[in-house]
Amino acid sequence: MKKVLLIIIDALATRVVAPALEQGKLPNFQRLVEKGAFCPECTSIFPSITPAATCALVTGAYPFEHGISGAYWYDLDDDEVAYFGSDLPAIMNEGMNHFINDFQIKLNRDRLQVSTIFEHIERHGSLSDAVINFMWYRGTVDHETTTPTLLKLIPGVTLASNMRGPHTMFLGEFVSTPLYGTYPSARGGLSRRFGFHDETTADYLLALADQQALPDFTLAYFPNNDFDSHANGPANALSTLEAIDVNLGQLFEAQGGIDKLLEEFAVLITGDHSQSDLDDSPVVDLNQVLEKFPLVQAGKPWNNSEDLMVCPNMRSAQIYLRSEIWTRREEVIGCLLECKAIDQVIWCEHDSGLNGTKQAAFHVQTSDRGHLVFQPAMTRQGNATDCYGTPWEWEGDLSAVDASVTPENRIEYGNYPNAFERIAASFSEKTGNIWVTAQLGKEFCLPELNCNPAGSHGSLHYLDSTAPLIAAGLPENFELPDALRIVDITPICLQLLGLAPPRLPGASAILNSLLNETS
């Protein structure tokens, strides 16, 4: 086995990283590439949105397995909104105390339905682990929390006194595991998101390295690239990556040089999704698109007067229909298809998707590329097979997902990588009845919510969904899958640690789950 350092950079985009490497702007990233591998396509999940995608990274599971339906969804069982965005009106509608405690405790304790990589590791009693500033932290060790001063001043807000995570845990200003020597305080406050900031992540990571205290597995999360890409556009956020590159150089030095680091550690760097550029008029107001239907106000629960609840997830959105409205779904779909800014309208014939029946059929309808209905061919050969070994059958126009079939009867995708698996694995008991995706340059919004000014993500499009993987220090006989996905990262890390993953890297997520081969 080797120790593993997994660095996750939010919204890390291949189209930004690849030219920056060629131009010498990321020299320490380049040193890792030269001693390892650069894999340009590590495909995200759908929706390609941070809470669901980072969850896939740390569990190796898709949304229909891990239960996280995006950044904004409706929990039917608890009759409540799950909102993990940053729009104050939606937060206030949900309730500030509910929002903070959902983020701090319930998201990991209750909403997450599968094991994290930390829990897998901690079942093997001899291995140690650490998390730095990552929203998915569930483990087996209790850690005392502190409450930032500003949050203490908000009436009605109370935080949990303990959080359960890995052996070593640094979460902004909330949790700091004592080290043997000195260690930095979180550079926090409101301007640095209470310590959930690249500078604090680097401080904690370098403190562990300086004290030679990096455990068997460390996950360090750098969030700033996502915020800066939203604000300025992905290409204009390169300076954020350059700052992380400097931190890498400091890490190499603290470990006695890159060669010494890679003797002991396998280093993996990837992202949860990427971002596409927004145009000058990006807003798609779903209240206007669906104006003939009464809609729930953003962040609020249902009452008896509304037909639809719309939960925008940036460049995708899920739409919940009351049961009596579902019988009129063609009216809703028709309104959506009349909007030229909408790319795809996606739905499943079964409310729970593949969790309800192995024969669930999925629809993708567009205004200009036809209507496609597909499903996994569980007991039949199917029309063709994807690169992960899943056979699929369909009727209609493959152009709806920009797919084609090779002479070898293999499905290939253009603008929407791994579309069949990602769509089929997105529907569950938590998701809306309908998903919609936006045309490039557009983002969904409601009057109560703000849109991003320059960059966004969330759709099936490759510009939202393609992160690189940089891997160095891998054992000589270790092979990465040919077609990488972010759900392969946890299995890869577990294998490097000498542990058996719940699903092998590169294996079919659909077949393994439906044939009860996952744990």
Side-chain angles (χ1 to χ4, degrees), residues 174-211:
F174 295 87
V175 178
S176 295
T177 302
L179 300 179
Y180 293 110
T182 60
Y183 65 96
S185 299
R187 287 194 262 180
L190 188 60
S191 64
R192 285 187 171 86
R193 300 184 294 276
F194 300 106
F196 290 96
H197 189 280
D198 283 8
E199 292 176 353
T200 302
T201 298
D203 286 346
Y204 284 138
L205 179 60
L206 292 172
L208 286 171
D210 286 338
Q211 297 183 41

Side-chain angles (χ1 to χ4, degrees), residues 2 10-11 48 70 90 94 105 109 200 248 295 304 352 375-376 396 400 426 435 456 458 499:
K2 292 196 75 170
D10 206 313
S48 50
E94 182 186 18
I105 298 295
R109 186 192 64 196
T200 302
L248 280 177
L295 267 63
N304 294 326
S352 301
Q375 62 187 131
S426 70
W435 279 100
S456 192
L499 304 178

Side-chain angles (χ1 to χ4, degrees), residues 122-278:
E122 289 153 28
R123 292 185 189 118
H124 193 282
S126 63
L127 296 180
S128 57
D129 52 3
V131 66
I132 302 174
N133 271 354
F134 198 57
M135 67 187 297
W136 301 105
Y137 56 79
R138 195 173 71 195
T140 62
V141 180
D142 282 328
H143 297 268
E144 186 177 349
T145 64
T146 57
T147 302
T149 302
L150 183 60
L151 292 184
K152 292 179 180 178
L153 301 177
I154 301 176
V157 172
T158 56
L159 274 69
S161 59
N162 289 276
M163 296 168 71
R164 179 161 286 196
H167 296 96
T168 301
M169 187 169 170
F170 300 112
L171 292 183
E173 295 184 79
F174 295 87
V175 178
S176 295
T177 302
L179 300 179
Y180 293 110
T182 60
Y183 65 96
S185 299
R187 287 194 262 180
L190 188 60
S191 64
R192 285 187 171 86
R193 300 184 294 276
F194 300 106
F196 290 96
H197 189 280
D198 283 8
E199 292 176 353
T200 302
T201 298
D203 286 346
Y204 284 138
L205 179 60
L206 292 172
L208 286 171
D210 286 338
Q211 297 183 41
Q212 300 299 301
L214 286 168
D216 297 300
F217 175 76
T218 304
L219 192 164
Y221 175 64
F222 289 83
N224 288 25
N225 184 61
D226 188 55
F227 290 95
D228 296 340
S229 296
H230 282 309
N232 305 312
N236 294 325
L238 179 59
S239 60
T240 305
L241 301 182
E242 291 173 326
I244 298 173
D245 187 86
V246 172
N247 298 146
L248 280 177
Q250 295 168 330
L251 175 68
F252 299 161
E253 183 178 351
Q255 290 296 116
I258 187 172
D259 291 327
K260 188 172 181 181
L261 171 69
L262 296 180
E263 285 177 10
E264 186 177 5
F265 289 87
V267 179
L268 306 178
I269 301 176
T270 192
D272 53 339
H273 53 74
S274 47
Q275 283 198 26
S276 54
D277 296 303
L278 295 175

Side-chain angles (χ1 to χ4, degrees), residues 27 37 47 71 79 103 174 195 223 311 372 383:
D79 188 25
F103 235 126
F174 295 87
C311 297
L372 174 69
N383 297 66

Side-chain angles (χ1 to χ4, degrees), residues 270-344:
T270 192
D272 53 339
H273 53 74
S274 47
Q275 283 198 26
S276 54
D277 296 303
L278 295 175
D279 62 29
D280 293 335
S281 301
V283 177
V284 183
D285 187 341
L286 286 170
N287 265 16
Q288 292 182 2
V289 175
L290 298 168
E291 62 182 355
K292 66 183 291 185
F293 300 95
L295 267 63
V296 179
Q297 190 176 355
K300 286 192 173 181
W302 290 95
N303 63 40
N304 294 326
S305 62
E306 302 109 353
D307 291 338
L308 308 179
M309 177 183 286
V310 176
C311 297
N313 284 260
M314 296 190 189
R315 290 189 13 83
S316 63
Q318 47 191 324
I319 302 169
Y320 296 82
L321 284 66
R322 287 198 183 276
S323 57
E324 58 270 25
I325 300 300
W326 181 241
T327 61
R328 297 164 47 202
R329 63 183 176 274
E330 290 184 2
E331 294 180 51
V332 179
I333 293 167
C335 289
L336 295 168
L337 290 172
E338 288 176 5
C339 176
K340 293 182 179 180
I342 288 177
D343 185 14
Q344 297 152 317

Side-chain angles (χ1 to χ4, degrees), residues 455-506:
S456 192
H457 53 95
S459 80
L460 286 161
H461 200 281
Y462 78 91
L463 288 175
D464 291 6
S465 310
T466 308
L469 172 67
I470 296 172
L474 301 179
E476 189 172 333
N477 60 349
F478 193 92
E479 293 186 7
L480 295 169
D482 291 333
L484 276 163
R485 305 158 297 182
I486 65 172
V487 295
D488 293 319
I489 300 302
T490 279
I492 289 169
C493 291
L494 290 173
Q495 285 186 328
L496 290 168
L497 291 166
L499 304 178
R503 178 165 58 228
L504 291 175

